[in-house]
Amino acid sequence: EIDPSSLVTAQNPALNQLYESVARDYALSDTMHVLARLLNRDAVNLDVFVKKTRQLGREQFFTRMHIQNIIERLRQ
Amino acid sequence: MQIIPLFEPGVSIRQREVAETLAEVYSIVICVDQVEKMYLKDVIPDESEYNRVTARLLQQYRAIMANNDQDHDFQMAFGGSLQEFCKRYGVIASNGVLRLEKGIPLTTEHAAAAGASKSSTSTASATNAAGA
Amino acid sequence: KLWQDLRQRIMEKYHDDALKKQLEVQIQHLDDASGKLEMDMGKYEGLDEFLNDYIGTRTQYHLKREKLTTWIQQGELKM
């Protein structure tokens, strides 16, 4: 069986990287929202919420920085 | 075109350091924003808990800004203002930005505003307490 | 000849639609899977393991969504 999404794989590795980084950026936002829901149902405490939100935030910054670098290089 | 690394080989240790600092700023804005939203939704019912966590984040932000005040590399990458930084990195966190600009937790701000209508001295003490 | 060309084009179109449909199903599965992960968060030993799985599933979800969007925008899939 073929994976349909593999058919839309770009020929250009940098372009694939861009797809993946953008997807991860969204995923990190989703995960921060999950943390908020976990705090709401007392599955995590406030300190853990803060610590993990900070951690995800840092990763999101680097992901966005990377996205900008990729876009810049693709434009060259 | 080949895989593009997070940092190009030519990037200096100094530039990596600036990126690490910007990542902290980014995560603080996001976090302050989330904490405030959780407080407003009553997910954090304890006001002192909200205050404790927010005051700490505000303090960390102030420390980073003070440490990098004269750093040209940092200022160039940061963009000169929090608003500009948020624009550059697509940060949508209006509560967080406002909180960091005001520099005091929401509860203290309201206490200060309430105090101001009665006497100006209580406003000063509330602001001092937030800064401590 | 004309008939063969037409038949070929219909087959390709059918194939394209079927694959698109399959991709939509995968996207839905990933969305459901992340919802289930969230509900089953308590089954994890540690929060980090849960967060890693969640990020992974959501990344796949968004990646496939981006690809489907691109596919639809381009009209036809170039193989």
Side-chain angles (χ1 to χ4, degrees), chain B residues 53-87:
Chain B
V53 164
T54 303
R56 188 178 158 82
L57 290 164
L58 294 177
Q59 193 186 21
Q60 288 165 343
Y61 176 73
R62 272 196 296 271
I64 291 171
M65 286 302 146
N67 287 343
N68 295 283
D69 190 35
Q70 303 299 321
D71 190 313
H72 183 255
D73 293 336
F74 175 85
Q75 291 302 331
M76 285 302 285
F78 179 61
S81 74
L82 186 57
Q83 300 271 0
E84 177 58 28
F85 174 74
C86 289
K87 216 166 90 184

Side-chain angles (χ1 to χ4, degrees), chain C residues 9-66:
Chain C
R9 270 163 56 195
I10 289 168
M11 286 307 287
E12 278 170 6
K13 178 80 175 71
Y14 173 78
H15 191 60
D16 205 61
D17 286 350
L19 286 175
K20 231 177 245 177
K21 188 80 205 146
Q22 202 183 322
L23 187 54
E24 278 168 15
V25 170
Q26 285 183 358
I27 290 167
Q28 188 57 52
H29 281 171
L30 286 162
D31 202 24
D32 293 344
S34 51
K36 195 169 163 8
L37 277 180
E38 187 179 342
M39 285 303 117
D40 293 346
M41 179 261 174
K43 290 178 186 168
Y44 277 85
E45 290 255 331
L47 182 60
D48 287 340
E49 286 84 353
F50 162 74
L51 293 175
N52 280 339
D53 280 4
Y54 194 84
I55 295 169
T57 307
R58 293 309 284 178
T59 303
Q60 283 309 309
Y61 166 79
H62 286 292
L63 193 56
K64 284 179 196 277
R65 274 192 54 162
E66 284 174 55

Side-chain angles (χ1 to χ4, degrees), chain B residues 21-128:
Chain B
T21 311
L22 291 174
E24 293 303 333
V25 172
Y26 183 98
S27 75
I28 290 172
V29 189
I30 299 285
C31 197
V32 168
D33 189 73
Q34 288 277 26
V35 168
E36 182 156 318
K37 280 173 179 151
M38 292 296 104
Y39 173 73
L40 291 171
K41 284 181 188 167
D42 217 21
V43 172
I44 306 168
D46 188 345
E47 199 175 296
S48 67
E49 279 283 279
Y50 160 79
N51 275 331
R52 174 178 66 83
V53 164
T54 303
R56 188 178 158 82
L57 290 164
L58 294 177
Q59 193 186 21
Q60 288 165 343
Y61 176 73
R62 272 196 296 271
I64 291 171
M65 286 302 146
N67 287 343
N68 295 283
D69 190 35
Q70 303 299 321
D71 190 313
H72 183 255
D73 293 336
F74 175 85
Q75 291 302 331
M76 285 302 285
F78 179 61
S81 74
L82 186 57
Q83 300 271 0
E84 177 58 28
F85 174 74
C86 289
K87 216 166 90 184
R88 287 185 183 184
Y89 289 96
V91 182
I92 301 163
S94 52
N95 292 65
V97 171
L98 189 66
R99 196 51 43 217
L100 290 172
E101 283 175 348
K102 293 205 173 190
I104 52 171
L106 183 69
T107 46
T108 317
E109 182 194 339
H110 288 174
S117 59
K118 288 171 196 152
S119 73
S120 57
T121 46
S122 62
T123 310
S125 62
T127 314
N128 286 340

